C-alpha cells in the first residue's frame, strides 16, 4: 500500500552521488528489505540511523527512505521533496501524522508497496530524462529487406555517437546477431527475459546484451522457440527506452499480443515495401493491422521499380507518408552473415539514407 501526502514530484539529484537513495532506519529487518529492493532497482544506497552529518547529504539525496522507527529522529531535518515514510503496520493511524511531521511526500507499507518503491528507486538510479527515439521496421511482404534496414539504421545511429539498442522482435527471423556477424558473441538473448515481471533495470539490461559495432543487440538465439509473455516484452522494451538515444526494433509481419506491446512504445514505424504491385497489396494488409496500434507509420519504398510505379505512387496507394526511397545496393542483396553488416562502412547510398533519416527524425523528436 502506498499513499500520497503531497503532490510534489520527486526531485532531480542535486549534489552528492547521482542516483544514490538515502535510507534512514535502525530496524534491521526493514533495512534488509530496503537493501533488497534497492538491489532490484540497480541502486546502491547510503544508510544512516538518523539525519546524516553534514546535513547536505540529506538535502542532496535524490530519494530519502525513512523507516517509521526513525520518524522522530528526522523530525527537525530541513523540509524537502522526495521523502518516503515506510512502515509495516497497515492499521497504525499515527503513521500519517508522523509523515506530516517530517514532510514526507508518500507513506508506503511493506510488503504491499514493494513494486511501487522499486520503480521509484529505479527512476532516481537511472535518471528520468528523454526516452530513446524508438523506431520499428517491418516488411510489407516477406523478403522486403526490413531486417537489413533495421540493422543499417542501428549501425548508423551508433556511428553517429548515439547510445543505440537494436531489438529483434521476430522469433522466427533467425536472429539479428547473425546479420551483424555476432552469433557467438557473449550476452543474453530473449529467452533469458521470458520470466521478467515488473520493472527491468535499464543499465542492467544494456550491460547484459552483446555489444556489436558499438551498439547493444537483443536478439533471439538458435535454440527452441521460447514464448516471451507480453508483460515481459513491455518491461524489457521500456527498460531499453529509458536510457535515451535510439532504439531500433525489427518487427515481424504478424501482430500478436507481444508485438502489440512493442508497437505501443514506438515513436514511429517504417514499412519497407518493394516497388511491385503484389508487394503493395500485401503491405496494405500489414499497414492495416499495424495502424490499429501505431499512429505514425511511414512507407520506405525499395526498388527496382515496376513499370508505372515510383516511391510517391506506392505511398499514395497505401495512404501513408513517404519516408523515402531505400537504395538498392549489394548490402541489401547479399546473404546475411557475410562481410560487413549493412551500413557499417558509412559510405554508399544505404548509409546516406540512414543518416538522413536520423537527422530528420531526431529534429522532429526534439520539436515534439
Amino acid at each position: 500500500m502506498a499513499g500520497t501526502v503531497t503532490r510534489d514530484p520527486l526531485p532531480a539529484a542535486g549534489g552528492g552521488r547521482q542516483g544514490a537513495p538515502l535510507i534512514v532506519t535502525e530496524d534491521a529487518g526493514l533495512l534488509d528489505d530496503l537493501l533488497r529492493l534497492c538491489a532490484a532497482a540497480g541502486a546502491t544506497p547510503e544508510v544512516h540511523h538518523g539525519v546524516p552529518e553534514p546535513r547536505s547529504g540529506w538535502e542532496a539525496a535524490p530519494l530519502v527512505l525513512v523507516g517509521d522507527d526513525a520518524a522522530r529522529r528526522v523530525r527537525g531535518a530541513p523540509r524537502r521533496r522526495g521523502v518516503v515514510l515506510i512502515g509495516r503496520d497497515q492499521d497504525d493511524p499515527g503513521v500519517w501524522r508522523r509523515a506530516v511531521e517530517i514532510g514526507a511526500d508518500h507513506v508506503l507499507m511493506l510488503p504491499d508497496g514493494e513494486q511501487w518503491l522499486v520503480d521509484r528507486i529505479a527512476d532516481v538510479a537511472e535518471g528520468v530524462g528523454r526516452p530513446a527515439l524508438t523506431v520499428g521496421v517491418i516488411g510489407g511482404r516477406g523478403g522486403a529487406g526490413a531486417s537489413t534496414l533495421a540493422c543499417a539504421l542501428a549501425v548508423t545511429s551508433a556511428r553517429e555517437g548515439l547510445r543505440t539498442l537494436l531489438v529483434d522482435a521476430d522469433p522466427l527471423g533467425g536472429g539479428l546477431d547473425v546479420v551483424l556477424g555476432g552469433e557467438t558473441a557473449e550476452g543474453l538473448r530473449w529467452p533469458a527475459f521470458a520470466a521478467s515481471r515488473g520493472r527491468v533495470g535499464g543499465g542492467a539490461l544494456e550491460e547484459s546484451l552483446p555489444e556489436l559495432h558499438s551498439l547493444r543487440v537483443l536478439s533471439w538465439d538458435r535454440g527452441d522457440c521460447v514464448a516471451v509473455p507480453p508483460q515481459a516484452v513491455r518491461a524489457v522494451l521500456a527498460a531499453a527506452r529509458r536510457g535515451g538515444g535510439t532504439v531500433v526494433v525489427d518487427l515481424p509481419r504478424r501482430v500478436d499480443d507481444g508485438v502489440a506491446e512493442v508497437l505501443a512504445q514506438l515513436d514511429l514505424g517504417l514499412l519497407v515495401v518493394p516497388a511491385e504491385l503484389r508487394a503493395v497489396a500485401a503491405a496494405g494488409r500489414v499497414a492495416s493491422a499495424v495502424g490499429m496500434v501505431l499512429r505514425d507509420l511511414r512507407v520506405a519504398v525499395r526498388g527496382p521499380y515496376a513499370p508505372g510505379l515510383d516511391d510517391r505512387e506506392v505511398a499514395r496507394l497505401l495512404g501513408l507518408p513517404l519516408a523515402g526511397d531505400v537504395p538498392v545496393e549489394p548490402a541489401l542483396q547479399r546473404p546475411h552473415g557475410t562481410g560487413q553488416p549493412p551500413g557499417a562502412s558509412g559510405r554508399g547510398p544505404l548509409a546516406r539514407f540512414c543518416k538522413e533519416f536520423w537527422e530528420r527524425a531526431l529534429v522532429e523528436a526534439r520539436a515534439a
Side-chain angles (χ1 to χ4, degrees):
M1 186 272 285
T4 302
V5 179
T6 73
R7 295 180 180 272
D8 290 333
L10 297 179
R17 185 151 51 93
Q18 173 79 21
L22 172 64
I23 297 175
V24 182
T25 184
E26 285 186 328
D27 183 329
L30 178 61
L31 178 58
D32 285 344
D33 284 339
L34 294 179
L35 291 175
R36 171 176 56 83
L37 297 177
C38 284
T44 302
E46 296 183 7
V47 180
H48 293 267
H49 298 315
V51 178
E53 292 294 344
R55 290 199 171 190
S56 58
W58 167 272
E59 297 170 350
L63 182 68
V64 179
L65 310 177
V66 179
D68 196 25
D69 67 288
R72 178 180 56 82
R73 295 193 296 278
V74 304
R75 193 179 300 164
R79 294 300 175 101
R80 50 152 296 162
R81 297 190 300 273
V83 176
V84 182
L85 182 62
I86 301 172
R88 295 184 186 277
D89 187 355
Q90 302 274 4
D91 299 321
D92 179 9
V95 69
W96 297 99
R97 172 180 53 80
R98 293 189 290 276
V100 172
E101 289 174 349
I102 68 173
D105 297 335
H106 300 276
V107 173
L108 182 139
M109 294 296 173
L110 299 180
D112 292 354
E114 287 192 354
Q115 187 57 58
W116 182 92
L117 186 55
V118 169
D119 287 348
R120 300 292 80 71
I121 297 169
D123 281 343
V124 300
E126 298 178 4
V128 184
R130 181 184 289 273
L133 175 59
T134 307
V135 177
V137 186
I138 187 169
R141 65 154 169 80
S147 295
T148 301
L149 180 58
C151 289
L153 286 170
V155 168
T156 302
S157 171
R159 190 174 57 249
E160 293 297 311
L162 296 171
R163 174 256 186 192
T164 306
L165 264 75
L166 176 62
V167 178
D168 183 356
D170 186 359
L172 303 181
L176 288 186
D177 52 356
V178 176
V179 184
L180 296 175
E183 60 270 26
T184 61
E186 292 186 1
L188 300 183
R189 269 68 172 178
W190 265 116
F193 299 97
S196 297
R197 298 292 185 274
R199 183 175 181 126
V200 175
L205 169 69
E206 192 165 348
E207 291 176 5
S208 72
L209 301 177
E211 183 174 9
L212 303 168
H213 306 282
S214 300
L215 58 96
R216 297 285 181 167
V217 183
L218 176 53
S219 183
W220 290 89
D221 60 13
R222 266 58 63 187
D224 294 338
C225 190
V226 174
V228 179
Q231 59 267 34
V233 174
R234 182 192 317 127
V236 169
L237 190 57
R241 298 185 71 228
R242 281 196 299 272
T246 68
V247 175
V248 181
V249 186
D250 182 33
L251 293 158
R253 287 185 295 125
R254 69 189 185 289
V255 179
D256 56 19
D257 290 343
V259 173
E261 291 289 353
V262 176
L263 292 172
Q265 297 194 53
L266 295 182
D267 295 301
L268 65 93
L270 292 178
L271 180 65
V272 184
V273 184
E276 55 188 47
L277 287 177
R278 187 179 178 190
V280 173
R285 297 177 68 90
V286 175
S288 177
V290 171
M292 295 177 67
V293 183
L294 177 61
R295 284 187 175 184
D296 190 352
L297 180 63
R298 311 176 191 183
V299 60
V301 185
R302 200 196 89 187
Y305 289 87
L309 285 181
D310 59 21
D311 53 358
R312 295 182 183 276
E313 178 64 9
V314 171
R316 187 192 68 80
L317 290 171
L318 291 171
L320 295 173
L322 178 63
D325 171 31
V326 181
V328 177
E329 63 175 44
L332 287 171
Q333 306 291 331
R334 66 176 178 238
H336 291 159
T338 61
Q340 288 284 319
S345 69
R347 299 183 298 274
L350 178 60
R352 288 195 297 272
F353 172 89
C354 293
K355 183 175 181 179
E356 291 169 3
F357 168 82
W358 285 124
E359 289 173 352
R360 294 192 305 269
L362 290 167
V363 168
E364 292 173 5
R366 295 188 190 102

